[in-house]
Amino acid sequence: MFRRYLTVTKPGIIMGNLISVAGGFLLASRGDIDLVLMAATLVGLSLVVASGCAINNCIDRDIDAKMARTRSRVTVTGEMSVRAAFWHGVVLGIMGFSLLAFFTNATAVFFAALGYVVYVGIYSLYMKRNSVYGTLVGSLSGAVPPVVGYCAVSGQFDAAAAILLVMFSLWQMPHSYAIAIFRFDDYEAAGIPVLPVAEGISKAKRHIVLYIAVFALVTLLLPISGYTGIGFMAVAATTSFWWLLMALRGYRPDIDVNGWARQVFGFSILNITLLSIAMAVDYHEAGSALFAFTL
């Protein structure tokens, strides 16, 4: 019984988000770490993400049945009823938002709610099934966790939080397009209009290269603005340049497209993990905040 309640929350996604939440939190903490606040932020947002994933499984059960990688999900096989998965998600969401509301602040809760609404409402219910821009819209929800971590400490949405939001949104695009390429048959069978299926793999390749190039430039805004130091800059420049070179290899005439896409996807995870760690340890005492607002 416990297994199905766990798997419906997509633990892999939760773990990936934990790293970015911690990175944003530690960047804002600048060495003065409130362990209780950090634990509450990590657990609270993990519960919110788990809630969104559980309800997403309810919404996607019809298309999940058509995809090889998702047809064994408990909401598809019938191991867990849609009703049970839905209410499981609701309870997790209430617990998560309650923790964030009690221990953090309105700004952090706002961005957690924004990410939730975009993912469960706008993306899952409509954009994913109906528009090639679904990936772009969904990228916003994927970029929210580090912002929540940052705002939980700072209490405001400043230049660093804005950079994190744009940076993680841009990262989502090549990461997601790479998945869509090596899972092309799945998305085509389910009728999901991701870019490689709707407009071709060649166009998806161009977009992957473009997004990685812009992502590389945006990551450098953290050290340029004074929020991180030379260590972060070195990591960002090295990993982003390597990722870009990897993406450009997709234009070789003899390339195995699926193998290449898996490499781009795999390195995207390593890249964002290293950047999250780097910004957590190579913070600066003061950033040049160009703007800030508090909810």
Side-chain angles (χ1 to χ4, degrees):
M1 178 182 292
F2 176 76
R3 188 192 70 83
R4 64 174 180 259
Y5 279 93
L6 176 63
T7 57
V8 79
T9 63
K10 304 179 185 178
I13 292 179
I14 295 173
M15 290 304 299
N17 282 314
L18 275 176
I19 296 170
S20 63
V21 176
F25 186 97
L26 294 172
L27 173 65
S29 296
R30 308 189 200 286
D32 183 16
I33 303 169
D34 183 334
L35 293 177
V36 173
L37 178 61
M38 184 174 183
T41 304
L42 291 174
V43 174
L45 194 65
S46 293
L47 290 171
V48 169
V49 172
S51 170
C53 289
I55 294 177
N56 169 264
N57 273 351
C58 298
I59 296 169
D60 283 355
R61 64 192 183 281
D62 58 329
I63 56 178
D64 282 347
K66 301 174 183 177
M67 301 171 70
R69 79 180 171 91
T70 57
R71 62 179 53 144
S72 61
R73 285 179 174 169
V74 292
T75 46
V76 176
T77 63
E79 184 180 349
M80 187 174 195
S81 70
V82 173
R83 181 186 177 89
F86 174 79
W87 286 111
H88 180 47
V90 169
V91 170
L92 290 173
I94 292 172
M95 292 170 60
F97 279 112
S98 296
L99 267 176
L100 292 176
F102 185 81
F103 284 97
T104 65
N105 53 70
T107 307
V109 173
F110 169 79
F111 280 100
L114 174 65
Y116 192 89
V117 170
V118 169
Y119 180 65
V120 173
I122 301 174
Y123 173 73
S124 296
L125 285 175
Y126 182 79
M127 295 297 293
K128 180 178 181 178
R129 296 166 181 261
N130 295 284
S131 175
V132 72
Y133 298 108
T135 307
L136 183 61
V137 172
S139 72
L140 178 61
S141 61
V144 159
V147 179
V148 173
Y150 184 92
C151 292
V153 177
S154 69
Q156 63 183 13
F157 184 78
D158 58 15
I163 293 168
L164 290 176
L165 186 65
V166 175
M167 173 179 148
F168 277 77
S169 291
L170 289 168
W171 172 84
Q172 293 276 341
M173 300 304 290
H175 171 83
S176 299
Y177 286 155
I179 297 173
I181 289 175
F182 69 77
R183 295 290 187 182
F184 184 96
D185 292 343
D186 271 357
Y187 285 101
E188 186 177 46
I192 302 173
V194 288
L195 186 64
V197 173
E199 300 185 15
I201 290 177
S202 293
K203 186 169 184 177
K205 285 182 181 180
R206 293 196 299 272
H207 279 233
I208 285 173
V209 170
L210 176 62
Y211 276 112
I212 291 175
V214 178
F215 166 80
L217 295 175
V218 171
T219 60
L220 297 179
L221 291 178
L222 281 177
I224 289 172
S225 300
Y227 290 99
T228 58
I230 192 68
F232 176 89
M233 180 177 283
V235 172
T238 302
T239 57
S240 297
F241 181 67
W242 188 260
W243 197 21
L244 183 59
L245 286 180
M246 186 179 293
L248 288 169
R249 285 184 61 244
Y251 287 100
R252 286 171 46 180
D254 60 339
I255 196 72
D256 170 11
V257 174
N258 282 346
W260 165 79
R262 287 182 182 276
Q263 288 182 334
V264 171
F265 163 74
F267 191 79
S268 71
I269 297 174
L270 176 62
N271 185 9
I272 207 67
T273 300
L274 292 174
L275 289 175
S276 296
I277 294 171
M279 69 186 183
V281 299
D282 189 33
Y283 55 84
H284 270 194
E285 290 303 320
S288 54
L290 302 179
F291 65 90
F293 68 84
T294 304
L295 295 174

